[in-house]
Amino acid sequence: MAVTTRYTIGIDIGGTFTDVVLMASDGTVTINKAPTTPHDFSIGVIDAIREGGRDLGFDLPGLLAVTELVKHGSTGRPTR
C-alpha cells in the first residue's frame, strides 16, 4: 500500500500579504504568500494556497485532496 503525504495548511491574513504554510506529514514545510485582497479576503487566501501547491507540484484541487486540516488566523483589520 502506497503512503500518501498529507498536508496541514496554515493561513494568516495580514494587512498587506496573506501568508500560507503547508506542512507535510513528514514535517516538510513550504511557505508562500499572496497580496491580501480586502474587498474579498477569500481571493488572497485561495491565491496563496494555489501558489504553495504549485511549489509542491499540485494544482489547487490536487493539494486540497491531500489536505487533512486547514487553520486560519488574521492580523488584518476588518473593512466596513
Side-chain angles (χ1 to χ4, degrees):
M1 178 202 264
V3 176
T4 302
T5 300
R6 306 297 290 179
Y7 290 89
T8 295
I9 300 176
I11 305 159
D12 176 61
I13 301 173
T16 304
F17 290 102
T18 296
D19 299 304
V20 67
V21 175
L22 307 173
M23 188 169 68
S25 52
D26 68 1
T28 304
V29 174
T30 301
I31 300 170
N32 213 305
K33 64 175 57 194
T36 294
T37 49
H39 66 284
D40 183 343
F41 290 114
S42 67
I43 295 169
V45 168
I46 295 298
D47 288 346
I49 294 171
R50 183 179 289 119
E51 289 303 312
R54 283 185 188 149
D55 288 351
L56 296 169
F58 291 105
D59 61 5
L60 183 61
L63 175 60
L64 295 178
V66 293
T67 296
E68 292 183 314
L69 180 66
V70 177
K71 292 190 165 207
H72 170 265
S74 178
T75 56
R77 293 185 310 195
T79 59
R80 295 180 192 240

